[in-house]
């Protein structure tokens, strides 16, 4: 699933899960999108022979690089790995590995906003301004 979501204030989100490596046509379509937030699945961690339409740490980093190369991800884009599974390393190691491609992992229930505000899961905010990121 791929969703390109725009907020009324111009903020922009790319939600990408269950895609495997992004098709070339998708990368071309998001050229210069300058997303504020990218939530992309990173299901398989170090498990490389899964043979599925999911990403592992290597293919996740490659997709982030491809999106950077076309201006869809900028230096100030918040890239968050979601749809995590038990195939990933422990959180500290996962965070270290994701940092290599300027991405991060967040706790379940973290509310992310493109205005840099991070709130607790119990906070209430308009849906057009926040996205709830959850690991599976």
């Amino acid at each position: 699933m791929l969703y390109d979501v725009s907020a009324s204030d111009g903020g922009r989100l790319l939600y990408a899960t269950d895609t495997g490596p992004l098709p070339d046509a998708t990368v071309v379509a998001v050229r210069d999108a300058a997303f504020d937030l990218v939530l992309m699945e990173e299901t398989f961690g170090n498990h490389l022979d899964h043979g599925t339409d999911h990403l592992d740490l290597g293919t996740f980093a490659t997709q982030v690089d491809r999106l950077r190369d076309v201006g869809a991800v900028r230096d100030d884009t918040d890239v968050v790995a979601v749809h995590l599974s038990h195939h990933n390393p422990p959180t500290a190691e996962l965070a270290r590995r994701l940092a290599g491609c300027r991405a991060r992992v967040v706790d379940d229930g973290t509310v992310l906003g493109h205005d840099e505000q991070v709130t607790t899961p119990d906070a209430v905010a308009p849906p057009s301004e926040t996205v709830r990121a959850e690991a599976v």
Side-chain angles (χ1 to χ4, degrees):
M1 290 189 302
L2 290 166
Y3 292 99
D4 177 344
V5 181
S6 296
S8 59
D9 67 358
R12 201 155 172 200
L13 157 76
L14 175 66
Y15 178 79
T17 189
D18 300 335
T19 63
L22 297 171
D24 290 338
T26 298
V27 175
V28 168
V30 297
R31 177 177 296 282
D32 298 322
F35 291 106
D36 296 289
L37 176 62
V38 171
L39 303 176
M40 188 162 51
E41 66 103 351
E42 191 285 297
T43 305
F44 278 99
N46 295 319
H47 184 69
L48 304 180
D49 60 349
H50 48 87
T52 68
D53 286 334
H54 293 285
L55 299 176
D56 50 58
L57 279 163
T59 54
F60 178 90
T62 299
Q63 301 323 296
V64 172
D65 288 345
R66 291 175 71 207
L67 293 171
R68 283 189 197 287
D69 288 346
V70 298
V73 169
R74 307 170 305 197
D75 288 342
D76 63 343
T77 301
D78 189 9
V79 179
V80 180
V82 298
H83 199 265
L84 306 173
S85 78
H86 64 278
H87 293 289
N88 279 285
T91 304
E93 173 65 10
L94 179 60
R96 187 188 70 74
R97 298 274 305 274
L98 290 170
C101 65
R102 293 180 284 171
R104 65 190 181 117
V105 61
V106 298
D107 292 334
D108 283 355
T110 297
V111 178
L112 305 168
H114 67 272
D115 61 357
E116 297 299 319
Q117 177 184 0
V118 178
T119 58
T120 65
D122 296 330
V124 177
S128 64
E129 296 176 10
T130 60
V131 175
R132 188 182 214 51
E134 296 186 10
V136 182

